[in-house]
Amino acid sequence: MIWGAGSGILLMVVIWFTTEHKLAPFFALQLIVGIPIWLLIMSPFQEFFFRGWLQPRFEKSLGLWPGLVVTSVGFAVWHLCPPFEQAQIVPIMSVFGMAFATVMGLVFGYIFRRTGNIVAPWLAHVLAGLTLVLSGAMTFVQYVE
Amino acid sequence: MENTLVSEGRSTQDARRKALTEAIIALSAFCGLSLLSRLVTPLFLFVVGGGLLFPLIWGVFTKDWGTMGSRVVTLGKL
């Protein structure tokens, strides 16, 4: 858990200083909705699939480091696919966004390999995701006039 | 002896190829379904459900919880 929490806190700091800060409307509600969504849905489905299932296959077929890199690039490319831009102001569709997602994938993947358990990258991913909510870069509740 | 080594080498190569094929197919399906969710938003629920359930169902059938990092022994590892 030290790996998960430690890298998660490190990512929180990095995300906090690299994203635009804007207090989201209904901030308390964003947190009330955002925490369980990140903890129980957003983080586990990505970690179960990318780290728990995909990474061991790429590592087995390509080797440890190439497998980790290919999984991380796949993780970053996948972030371009869903309609995430509706929920966040982070420019995921940019060179910076792709590079950042790849680095995040490398960190989560390394933690997974280092600890051999899925909970560590899950925890790190939750902390990183919550920073997006805290900094107002991701919103789950939107105001419609 | 030589035949056994050749056979083992071939089966390792086959296992690697199988793992790579599985990974590419699953990643393509995951990305494809996510792209479709841009057109039909509720499809994103299948992406989320798939991401959660697919590895779990795979684990139930293969019992390969160790490689998925879901063995109780490793869960409390520091």
Side-chain angles (χ1 to χ4, degrees), chain A residues 5-129:
Chain A
S7 57
I9 290 166
L10 188 68
L11 287 171
M12 284 180 94
V13 173
V14 172
I15 292 170
W16 184 261
F17 286 108
T18 52
T19 53
E20 197 181 315
H21 293 76
K22 186 180 121 188
L23 192 64
F26 314 114
F27 184 67
L29 193 57
Q30 302 288 358
L31 279 182
I32 291 169
V33 175
I35 290 172
I37 285 181
W38 267 107
L39 187 66
L40 302 172
I41 301 169
M42 294 296 283
S43 173
F45 94 80
Q46 294 177 51
E47 291 310 313
F48 278 28
F49 181 72
F50 283 99
R51 254 56 67 182
W53 195 87
L54 205 62
Q55 187 172 319
R57 270 156 192 82
F58 276 132
E59 286 182 347
K60 183 178 177 182
S61 54
L62 304 172
L64 285 181
W65 286 106
L68 175 61
V69 171
V70 169
T71 307
S72 304
V73 171
F75 177 70
V77 169
W78 172 77
H79 274 79
L80 297 175
C81 300
F84 279 161
E85 63 270 17
Q86 290 172 9
Q88 64 188 57
I89 59 168
V90 173
I92 187 78
M93 288 212 180
S94 64
V95 175
F96 174 77
M98 282 295 290
F100 199 81
T102 306
V103 171
M104 299 273 276
L106 287 170
V107 172
F108 298 145
Y110 180 75
I111 301 167
F112 176 66
R113 193 200 296 162
R114 183 76 174 73
T115 60
N117 81 63
I118 198 72
V119 179
W122 177 353
L123 182 61
H125 202 152
V126 169
L127 292 174

Side-chain angles (χ1 to χ4, degrees), chain B residues 40-60:
Chain B
V40 188
T41 309
L43 272 180
F44 193 62
L45 292 175
F46 284 96
V47 178
V48 174
L52 282 172
L53 295 176
F54 175 65
L56 292 178
I57 292 168
W58 191 278
V60 168

Side-chain angles (χ1 to χ4, degrees), chain B residues 9-54:
Chain B
R10 196 171 294 155
S11 67
T12 308
Q13 209 174 3
D14 286 347
R16 283 183 180 164
R17 198 173 296 143
K18 184 172 172 262
L20 185 62
T21 310
E22 284 173 357
I24 290 171
I25 290 172
L27 182 60
S28 307
F30 207 61
C31 288
L33 204 55
S34 302
L35 272 175
L36 280 177
S37 74
R38 283 179 176 271
L39 301 173
V40 188
T41 309
L43 272 180
F44 193 62
L45 292 175
F46 284 96
V47 178
V48 174
L52 282 172
L53 295 176
F54 175 65

